[in-house]
Every structure is written in structure tokens, then in C-alpha cells.
Amino acid sequence: MKSVNDVDFIADCAHAGQVDKIGVPYIEHVRAVAAGLAPFGDEMTMAGLLHDIIEDTDWTAERLREEGLSDRVVSAVEAVTNQKGVPYEEKIRRIVASSDATLVKISDNAHNSHPDRAAQLPAEKRTRLAAKYRAARNVLWTAADDRDIEAIITIVNPSLLDELRERQAAG
């Protein structure tokens, strides 16, 4: 079984040279997602580190298994991987069929929604993505326990705590 450090090294190498929408090294995003999943154990942390590896690199699920990653980790990564021709909303509905994938996507969404990141985007893109991510949270958060959501967003994006409280008050 791989350690979290081993998986961090795999992710670092796989995403070497990649940058996110705001020009930051991509590894910082996957590490932030993984940090939000740390309360759920090493396998979930690993899934966070690898959540975009199949989608954004030449790595495959088979290769991850050959490297010794557990089926739980690889299954979560596969579930959150974009598939060509599948609309984002459908992807989110598919993700909530897996509790592990749901937590990974909640952490990913929280980091993508972080105000410090959003502030660096052009206004039109910021507005469009904010609506997209909020709509995804409406589905994702319904499929997860509020305590788990709170654990993740407290680490990754505490600015979402007010949104969670509003949801809890309305529910």
C-alpha cells in the first residue's frame, strides 16, 4: 500500500508544469483538495491528491492500480473524472452515487470556489463559475452529512460556512 507521501510524489510528478485557471502550479490545487479530505483518512487524502490525474495527465485507472493504489482510491478518482460529452450537471449526479466521490467533489468544489482564487478571474468568468459551483453544491451537499461538509469546508474554504448554515436553517 502506498503512503500519502508516495501519492503526493506521484501527483507532483504527474502535474509538473501544469497551472490552474489563475496561473498557480496545479499541485497546489490537488494538495488543497487533499487537505480537506484528511479528516477522513489516508485513502481519502490520496483520492484528493489524485482526483484530476486521469483527467489531466496520461495516467490511467489501470496504472494507478498497478502502482498499488487501493480500489477505494481509484474508484473515487474514476467517479470524479470528467467524461467527454457528459454535461457537468450529469457528472455531479453520477458522483453522488458514491459517498467517497461526493466528499472528494465537495472538497474540489470548495477550493474552486475560494474567494481568493475567484477574485483573480475576469468578472464574467467569476460570475459564471460561481453559479456553476453553487448549483453543484446544491446537489453534492444534499448527498452528504452536514458534519462532513463542515469538516471539509472549514479546512478548504471557510467562507462557505455561512452558505452551509443558511442551508441548515432552511432545511
Side-chain angles (χ1 to χ4, degrees), residues 68-102:
L69 278 299
S70 72
D71 189 57
R72 180 181 184 198
V73 170
V74 178
S75 293
V77 172
E78 286 180 301
V80 299
T81 298
N82 283 332
Q83 298 172 353
K84 285 187 178 186
V86 176
Y88 185 75
E89 298 78 16
E90 187 176 324
K91 172 188 171 180
I92 296 300
R93 287 191 301 273
R94 183 187 77 236
I95 287 171
V96 297
S98 160
S99 58
D100 287 344
T102 299

mmCIF file of all heavy atoms in Angstrom, residues 68-102:
data_model
loop_
_atom_site.group_PDB
_atom_site.id
_atom_site.type_symbol
_atom_site.label_atom_id
_atom_site.label_comp_id
_atom_site.label_asym_id
_atom_site.label_seq_id
_atom_site.Cartn_x
_atom_site.Cartn_y
_atom_site.Cartn_z
ATOM 1 N N GLY A 68 -0.247 0.214 -6.989
ATOM 2 C CA GLY A 68 -0.586 -0.234 -5.650
ATOM 3 C C GLY A 68 -1.647 0.588 -4.941
ATOM 4 O O GLY A 68 -1.846 0.428 -3.733
ATOM 5 N N LEU A 69 -2.341 1.448 -5.677
ATOM 6 C CA LEU A 69 -3.420 2.218 -5.063
ATOM 7 C C LEU A 69 -4.634 1.322 -4.866
ATOM 8 O O LEU A 69 -4.929 0.475 -5.715
ATOM 9 C CB LEU A 69 -3.796 3.412 -5.934
ATOM 10 C CG LEU A 69 -2.928 4.669 -5.825
ATOM 11 C CD1 LEU A 69 -2.938 5.253 -4.451
ATOM 12 C CD2 LEU A 69 -1.552 4.481 -6.344
ATOM 13 N N SER A 70 -5.319 1.518 -3.766
ATOM 14 C CA SER A 70 -6.477 0.680 -3.447
ATOM 15 C C SER A 70 -7.631 0.940 -4.396
ATOM 16 O O SER A 70 -7.728 2.005 -5.027
ATOM 17 C CB SER A 70 -6.935 0.942 -2.011
ATOM 18 O OG SER A 70 -7.557 2.210 -1.915
ATOM 19 N N ASP A 71 -8.515 -0.031 -4.472
ATOM 20 C CA ASP A 71 -9.701 0.124 -5.308
ATOM 21 C C ASP A 71 -10.551 1.298 -4.827
ATOM 22 O O ASP A 71 -11.138 2.014 -5.638
ATOM 23 C CB ASP A 71 -10.528 -1.163 -5.328
ATOM 24 C CG ASP A 71 -11.640 -1.083 -6.357
ATOM 25 O OD1 ASP A 71 -11.330 -0.851 -7.545
ATOM 26 O OD2 ASP A 71 -12.819 -1.221 -5.973
ATOM 27 N N ARG A 72 -10.587 1.509 -3.509
ATOM 28 C CA ARG A 72 -11.365 2.638 -2.969
ATOM 29 C C ARG A 72 -10.849 3.960 -3.530
ATOM 30 O O ARG A 72 -11.628 4.809 -3.957
ATOM 31 C CB ARG A 72 -11.291 2.646 -1.449
ATOM 32 C CG ARG A 72 -12.067 3.787 -0.828
ATOM 33 C CD ARG A 72 -11.972 3.808 0.670
ATOM 34 N NE ARG A 72 -12.820 4.871 1.213
ATOM 35 C CZ ARG A 72 -12.710 5.362 2.424
ATOM 36 N NH1 ARG A 72 -11.804 4.860 3.261
ATOM 37 N NH2 ARG A 72 -13.492 6.323 2.832
ATOM 38 N N VAL A 73 -9.530 4.141 -3.528
ATOM 39 C CA VAL A 73 -8.932 5.377 -4.032
ATOM 40 C C VAL A 73 -9.212 5.526 -5.524
ATOM 41 O O VAL A 73 -9.691 6.568 -5.989
ATOM 42 C CB VAL A 73 -7.414 5.416 -3.752
ATOM 43 C CG1 VAL A 73 -6.746 6.584 -4.474
ATOM 44 C CG2 VAL A 73 -7.141 5.471 -2.253
ATOM 45 N N VAL A 74 -8.923 4.478 -6.276
ATOM 46 C CA VAL A 74 -9.067 4.557 -7.734
ATOM 47 C C VAL A 74 -10.534 4.743 -8.127
ATOM 48 O O VAL A 74 -10.840 5.523 -9.023
ATOM 49 C CB VAL A 74 -8.443 3.326 -8.420
ATOM 50 C CG1 VAL A 74 -8.647 3.379 -9.930
ATOM 51 C CG2 VAL A 74 -6.951 3.218 -8.089
ATOM 52 N N SER A 75 -11.425 4.072 -7.446
ATOM 53 C CA SER A 75 -12.856 4.221 -7.752
ATOM 54 C C SER A 75 -13.330 5.651 -7.522
ATOM 55 O O SER A 75 -14.099 6.191 -8.326
ATOM 56 C CB SER A 75 -13.687 3.252 -6.913
ATOM 57 O OG SER A 75 -13.419 1.931 -7.302
ATOM 58 N N ALA A 76 -12.880 6.271 -6.444
ATOM 59 C CA ALA A 76 -13.267 7.658 -6.176
ATOM 60 C C ALA A 76 -12.721 8.582 -7.263
ATOM 61 O O ALA A 76 -13.418 9.480 -7.750
ATOM 62 C CB ALA A 76 -12.781 8.100 -4.800
ATOM 63 N N VAL A 77 -11.469 8.347 -7.662
ATOM 64 C CA VAL A 77 -10.854 9.165 -8.715
ATOM 65 C C VAL A 77 -11.610 8.983 -10.030
ATOM 66 O O VAL A 77 -11.926 9.962 -10.720
ATOM 67 C CB VAL A 77 -9.358 8.827 -8.867
ATOM 68 C CG1 VAL A 77 -8.754 9.516 -10.085
ATOM 69 C CG2 VAL A 77 -8.590 9.200 -7.600
ATOM 70 N N GLU A 78 -11.918 7.753 -10.377
ATOM 71 C CA GLU A 78 -12.666 7.495 -11.614
ATOM 72 C C GLU A 78 -14.025 8.198 -11.590
ATOM 73 O O GLU A 78 -14.465 8.753 -12.602
ATOM 74 C CB GLU A 78 -12.871 6.000 -11.818
ATOM 75 C CG GLU A 78 -11.631 5.258 -12.244
ATOM 76 C CD GLU A 78 -11.891 3.777 -12.422
ATOM 77 O OE1 GLU A 78 -12.304 3.113 -11.452
ATOM 78 O OE2 GLU A 78 -11.676 3.298 -13.549
ATOM 79 N N ALA A 79 -14.685 8.152 -10.441
ATOM 80 C CA ALA A 79 -16.032 8.722 -10.342
ATOM 81 C C ALA A 79 -16.042 10.231 -10.541
ATOM 82 O O ALA A 79 -17.018 10.774 -11.069
ATOM 83 C CB ALA A 79 -16.655 8.366 -8.993
ATOM 84 N N VAL A 80 -14.970 10.925 -10.142
ATOM 85 C CA VAL A 80 -14.953 12.384 -10.293
ATOM 86 C C VAL A 80 -14.298 12.842 -11.597
ATOM 87 O O VAL A 80 -14.272 14.040 -11.893
ATOM 88 C CB VAL A 80 -14.273 13.092 -9.092
ATOM 89 C CG1 VAL A 80 -15.024 12.800 -7.805
ATOM 90 C CG2 VAL A 80 -12.809 12.735 -8.980
ATOM 91 N N THR A 81 -13.811 11.899 -12.386
ATOM 92 C CA THR A 81 -13.156 12.242 -13.648
ATOM 93 C C THR A 81 -14.187 12.619 -14.708
ATOM 94 O O THR A 81 -15.163 11.892 -14.916
ATOM 95 C CB THR A 81 -12.289 11.060 -14.134
ATOM 96 O OG1 THR A 81 -11.277 10.810 -13.159
ATOM 97 C CG2 THR A 81 -11.653 11.347 -15.479
ATOM 98 N N ASN A 82 -13.958 13.759 -15.360
ATOM 99 C CA ASN A 82 -14.833 14.173 -16.463
ATOM 100 C C ASN A 82 -14.797 13.134 -17.576
ATOM 101 O O ASN A 82 -13.747 12.550 -17.848
ATOM 102 C CB ASN A 82 -14.393 15.521 -17.040
ATOM 103 C CG ASN A 82 -14.803 16.673 -16.168
ATOM 104 O OD1 ASN A 82 -15.785 16.620 -15.448
ATOM 105 N ND2 ASN A 82 -14.030 17.742 -16.230
ATOM 106 N N GLN A 83 -15.932 12.934 -18.206
ATOM 107 C CA GLN A 83 -16.038 12.057 -19.367
ATOM 108 C C GLN A 83 -16.479 12.908 -20.544
ATOM 109 O O GLN A 83 -17.414 13.715 -20.417
ATOM 110 C CB GLN A 83 -17.042 10.944 -19.104
ATOM 111 C CG GLN A 83 -16.641 10.038 -17.955
ATOM 112 C CD GLN A 83 -17.747 9.059 -17.581
ATOM 113 O OE1 GLN A 83 -18.863 9.117 -18.075
ATOM 114 N NE2 GLN A 83 -17.430 8.146 -16.687
ATOM 115 N N LYS A 84 -15.814 12.727 -21.670
ATOM 116 C CA LYS A 84 -16.157 13.513 -22.858
ATOM 117 C C LYS A 84 -17.638 13.377 -23.186
ATOM 118 O O LYS A 84 -18.190 12.282 -23.162
ATOM 119 C CB LYS A 84 -15.323 13.068 -24.060
ATOM 120 C CG LYS A 84 -13.910 13.550 -24.006
ATOM 121 C CD LYS A 84 -13.172 13.235 -25.289
ATOM 122 C CE LYS A 84 -11.765 13.787 -25.191
ATOM 123 N NZ LYS A 84 -11.006 13.663 -26.410
ATOM 124 N N GLY A 85 -18.246 14.503 -23.479
ATOM 125 C CA GLY A 85 -19.639 14.516 -23.895
ATOM 126 C C GLY A 85 -20.644 14.445 -22.759
ATOM 127 O O GLY A 85 -21.843 14.503 -23.001
ATOM 128 N N VAL A 86 -20.172 14.313 -21.521
ATOM 129 C CA VAL A 86 -21.088 14.246 -20.375
ATOM 130 C C VAL A 86 -21.183 15.636 -19.756
ATOM 131 O O VAL A 86 -20.179 16.185 -19.292
ATOM 132 C CB VAL A 86 -20.597 13.221 -19.327
ATOM 133 C CG1 VAL A 86 -21.505 13.222 -18.103
ATOM 134 C CG2 VAL A 86 -20.511 11.828 -19.936
ATOM 135 N N PRO A 87 -22.367 16.225 -19.755
ATOM 136 C CA PRO A 87 -22.527 17.560 -19.172
ATOM 137 C C PRO A 87 -22.167 17.566 -17.677
ATOM 138 O O PRO A 87 -22.329 16.565 -16.980
ATOM 139 C CB PRO A 87 -24.018 17.867 -19.367
ATOM 140 C CG PRO A 87 -24.484 16.914 -20.420
ATOM 141 C CD PRO A 87 -23.608 15.708 -20.314
ATOM 142 N N TYR A 88 -21.707 18.723 -17.208
ATOM 143 C CA TYR A 88 -21.269 18.873 -15.824
ATOM 144 C C TYR A 88 -22.366 18.462 -14.829
ATOM 145 O O TYR A 88 -22.099 17.771 -13.854
ATOM 146 C CB TYR A 88 -20.836 20.326 -15.582
ATOM 147 C CG TYR A 88 -20.260 20.571 -14.211
ATOM 148 C CD1 TYR A 88 -18.983 20.139 -13.890
ATOM 149 C CD2 TYR A 88 -20.991 21.245 -13.231
ATOM 150 C CE1 TYR A 88 -18.440 20.371 -12.637
ATOM 151 C CE2 TYR A 88 -20.464 21.477 -11.983
ATOM 152 C CZ TYR A 88 -19.187 21.046 -11.682
ATOM 153 O OH TYR A 88 -18.657 21.267 -10.433
ATOM 154 N N GLU A 89 -23.596 18.873 -15.094
ATOM 155 C CA GLU A 89 -24.699 18.561 -14.181
ATOM 156 C C GLU A 89 -24.902 17.052 -14.073
ATOM 157 O O GLU A 89 -25.196 16.531 -13.002
ATOM 158 C CB GLU A 89 -25.995 19.234 -14.641
ATOM 159 C CG GLU A 89 -25.937 20.750 -14.660
ATOM 160 C CD GLU A 89 -25.189 21.335 -15.859
ATOM 161 O OE1 GLU A 89 -24.948 20.621 -16.874
ATOM 162 O OE2 GLU A 89 -24.814 22.523 -15.781
ATOM 163 N N GLU A 90 -24.768 16.360 -15.192
ATOM 164 C CA GLU A 90 -24.903 14.896 -15.183
ATOM 165 C C GLU A 90 -23.742 14.262 -14.413
ATOM 166 O O GLU A 90 -23.925 13.295 -13.685
ATOM 167 C CB GLU A 90 -24.952 14.364 -16.613
ATOM 168 C CG GLU A 90 -25.262 12.885 -16.703
ATOM 169 C CD GLU A 90 -25.394 12.410 -18.139
ATOM 170 O OE1 GLU A 90 -25.911 13.164 -18.982
ATOM 171 O OE2 GLU A 90 -24.969 11.268 -18.397
ATOM 172 N N LYS A 91 -22.549 14.810 -14.583
ATOM 173 C CA LYS A 91 -21.386 14.321 -13.841
ATOM 174 C C LYS A 91 -21.641 14.427 -12.336
ATOM 175 O O LYS A 91 -21.370 13.480 -11.591
ATOM 176 C CB LYS A 91 -20.143 15.133 -14.220
ATOM 177 C CG LYS A 91 -18.936 14.832 -13.363
ATOM 178 C CD LYS A 91 -17.792 15.801 -13.647
ATOM 179 C CE LYS A 91 -16.679 15.635 -12.649
ATOM 180 N NZ LYS A 91 -15.576 16.543 -12.874
ATOM 181 N N ILE A 92 -22.166 15.551 -11.896
ATOM 182 C CA ILE A 92 -22.428 15.748 -10.468
ATOM 183 C C ILE A 92 -23.451 14.727 -9.975
ATOM 184 O O ILE A 92 -23.283 14.125 -8.909
ATOM 185 C CB ILE A 92 -22.904 17.193 -10.188
ATOM 186 C CG1 ILE A 92 -21.802 18.203 -10.532
ATOM 187 C CG2 ILE A 92 -23.357 17.355 -8.739
ATOM 188 C CD1 ILE A 92 -20.503 18.050 -9.772
ATOM 189 N N ARG A 93 -24.485 14.473 -10.759
ATOM 190 C CA ARG A 93 -25.492 13.471 -10.364
ATOM 191 C C ARG A 93 -24.870 12.077 -10.291
ATOM 192 O O ARG A 93 -25.231 11.273 -9.442
ATOM 193 C CB ARG A 93 -26.688 13.492 -11.325
ATOM 194 C CG ARG A 93 -27.583 14.721 -11.142
ATOM 195 C CD ARG A 93 -28.894 14.603 -11.902
ATOM 196 N NE ARG A 93 -28.737 14.429 -13.326
ATOM 197 C CZ ARG A 93 -28.606 15.417 -14.216
ATOM 198 N NH1 ARG A 93 -28.633 16.671 -13.800
ATOM 199 N NH2 ARG A 93 -28.481 15.160 -15.495
ATOM 200 N N ARG A 94 -23.927 11.779 -11.170
ATOM 201 C CA ARG A 94 -23.228 10.491 -11.147
ATOM 202 C C ARG A 94 -22.340 10.379 -9.902
ATOM 203 O O ARG A 94 -22.280 9.338 -9.259
ATOM 204 C CB ARG A 94 -22.385 10.341 -12.414
ATOM 205 C CG ARG A 94 -21.670 8.998 -12.520
ATOM 206 C CD ARG A 94 -20.701 8.911 -13.692
ATOM 207 N NE ARG A 94 -19.475 9.632 -13.371
ATOM 208 C CZ ARG A 94 -18.949 10.608 -14.079
ATOM 209 N NH1 ARG A 94 -19.515 11.023 -15.188
ATOM 210 N NH2 ARG A 94 -17.837 11.202 -13.718
ATOM 211 N N ILE A 95 -21.679 11.468 -9.557
ATOM 212 C CA ILE A 95 -20.767 11.470 -8.417
ATOM 213 C C ILE A 95 -21.482 11.127 -7.120
ATOM 214 O O ILE A 95 -20.958 10.374 -6.300
ATOM 215 C CB ILE A 95 -20.040 12.832 -8.317
ATOM 216 C CG1 ILE A 95 -18.995 12.948 -9.432
ATOM 217 C CG2 ILE A 95 -19.400 13.022 -6.951
ATOM 218 C CD1 ILE A 95 -18.383 14.326 -9.567
ATOM 219 N N VAL A 96 -22.692 11.651 -6.936
ATOM 220 C CA VAL A 96 -23.365 11.458 -5.648
ATOM 221 C C VAL A 96 -23.798 10.012 -5.411
ATOM 222 O O VAL A 96 -24.243 9.676 -4.311
ATOM 223 C CB VAL A 96 -24.546 12.439 -5.434
ATOM 224 C CG1 VAL A 96 -24.041 13.875 -5.413
ATOM 225 C CG2 VAL A 96 -25.638 12.237 -6.453
ATOM 226 N N ALA A 97 -23.616 9.155 -6.392
ATOM 227 C CA ALA A 97 -23.880 7.727 -6.187
ATOM 228 C C ALA A 97 -22.797 7.087 -5.309
ATOM 229 O O ALA A 97 -22.986 5.992 -4.789
ATOM 230 C CB ALA A 97 -23.960 6.999 -7.531
ATOM 231 N N SER A 98 -21.680 7.762 -5.139
ATOM 232 C CA SER A 98 -20.569 7.272 -4.321
ATOM 233 C C SER A 98 -20.304 8.263 -3.194
ATOM 234 O O SER A 98 -20.005 9.432 -3.456
ATOM 235 C CB SER A 98 -19.307 7.123 -5.173
ATOM 236 O OG SER A 98 -18.146 7.091 -4.367
ATOM 237 N N SER A 99 -20.365 7.807 -1.951
ATOM 238 C CA SER A 99 -20.110 8.725 -0.832
ATOM 239 C C SER A 99 -18.677 9.237 -0.853
ATOM 240 O O SER A 99 -18.429 10.411 -0.557
ATOM 241 C CB SER A 99 -20.443 8.059 0.506
ATOM 242 O OG SER A 99 -19.688 6.888 0.678
ATOM 243 N N ASP A 100 -17.718 8.387 -1.223
ATOM 244 C CA ASP A 100 -16.325 8.838 -1.297
ATOM 245 C C ASP A 100 -16.151 9.899 -2.375
ATOM 246 O O ASP A 100 -15.529 10.938 -2.149
ATOM 247 C CB ASP A 100 -15.378 7.664 -1.578
ATOM 248 C CG ASP A 100 -15.177 6.742 -0.388
ATOM 249 O OD1 ASP A 100 -15.518 7.132 0.757
ATOM 250 O OD2 ASP A 100 -14.662 5.625 -0.599
ATOM 251 N N ALA A 101 -16.693 9.645 -3.556
ATOM 252 C CA ALA A 101 -16.571 10.604 -4.656
ATOM 253 C C ALA A 101 -17.265 11.918 -4.291
ATOM 254 O O ALA A 101 -16.770 12.999 -4.636
ATOM 255 C CB ALA A 101 -17.152 10.018 -5.937
ATOM 256 N N THR A 102 -18.370 11.831 -3.585
ATOM 257 C CA THR A 102 -19.092 13.038 -3.166
ATOM 258 C C THR A 102 -18.195 13.903 -2.284
ATOM 259 O O THR A 102 -18.097 15.118 -2.487
ATOM 260 C CB THR A 102 -20.393 12.667 -2.431
ATOM 261 O OG1 THR A 102 -21.229 11.937 -3.322
ATOM 262 C CG2 THR A 102 -21.128 13.901 -1.940
#
